[in-house]
Amino acid sequence: IEALGPEFIRAVLLLSCGRPDLAALPLVELPESDPLVCFERARAAHSMGLPRIALLALQQFAQRAGGHHRIRRLHTAVFAAQMALACGEQEHALELLRAAPIRLIGGRPLILFAKLLADAGEVQEACALLRDNLERDPEHTRAAQLLTRLEHPTGDAHA
């Protein structure tokens, strides 16, 4: 991070303080060859309500970083899938989550993945994913609820 200089550090701090508007220009001026710059550009774009730009920045991140990775508590594949969904690209979101190490992700992203699978007609795969998660985390009530809805549909099970 230090190699990117004080402008990068300042931009990250501005993002952390809720000022993506002030962080955007310094991030655009930094070299896009660095994956961290691409990641922080994605965060800024997302914070400004620009999911298409965030998705493009995350694609650049993956190209430069040799794939998607976990950064702090966020996996970039999940972030990219969320941005793809915000752009109306459900199939792209599903593709991104299929490639992610979902066993390491868990939680809400796992629920999102299961819902996308079910919406794509892959209910058995969604149920298997949820069962596997519940074996590791029996207290995950949202996974249990979704599994019940998928296994015992009454009306629209995917709503």
Side-chain angles (χ1 to χ4, degrees):
I1 293 176
E2 289 179 20
L4 291 169
E7 285 304 309
F8 177 77
I9 294 169
R10 183 174 183 273
V12 171
L13 289 173
L14 286 167
L15 275 173
S16 297
C17 292
R19 294 304 309 263
D21 55 320
L22 297 177
L25 185 58
L27 288 170
V28 169
E29 292 173 344
L30 289 165
E32 66 182 37
S33 59
D34 191 288
L36 283 179
V37 171
C38 296
F39 176 75
E40 296 301 340
R41 285 180 182 175
R43 283 187 45 206
H46 168 63
S47 295
M48 292 188 296
L50 303 168
R52 173 82 48 211
I53 294 171
L55 181 58
L56 291 172
L58 289 164
Q59 289 169 337
Q60 291 174 334
F61 169 88
Q63 290 169 348
R64 287 157 179 76
H68 286 286
H69 302 277
R70 181 182 290 274
I71 298 180
R72 295 182 288 273
R73 293 178 17 161
L74 177 66
H75 198 284
T76 59
V78 172
F79 189 10
Q82 292 168 332
M83 295 303 96
L85 279 176
C87 293
E89 299 177 12
Q90 189 167 341
E91 289 180 25
H92 186 201
L94 183 56
E95 177 184 309
L96 286 161
L97 290 173
R98 279 189 192 281
I102 204 70
R103 288 180 147 270
L104 301 177
I105 296 170
R108 285 188 286 185
L110 181 117
I111 298 297
L112 172 64
F113 187 22
K115 285 182 178 181
L116 286 171
L117 286 168
D119 288 347
E122 299 177 39
V123 176
Q124 294 302 326
E125 188 176 344
C127 289
L129 177 71
L130 292 167
R131 277 189 220 100
D132 182 57
N133 176 260
L134 286 166
E135 284 180 19
R136 290 180 282 118
D137 182 8
E139 303 298 316
H140 192 179
T141 56
R142 292 185 67 206
Q145 291 168 344
L146 180 56
L147 180 60
T148 300
R149 282 190 9 231
L150 292 175
E151 290 182 328
H152 308 287
T154 55
D156 185 6
H158 308 297

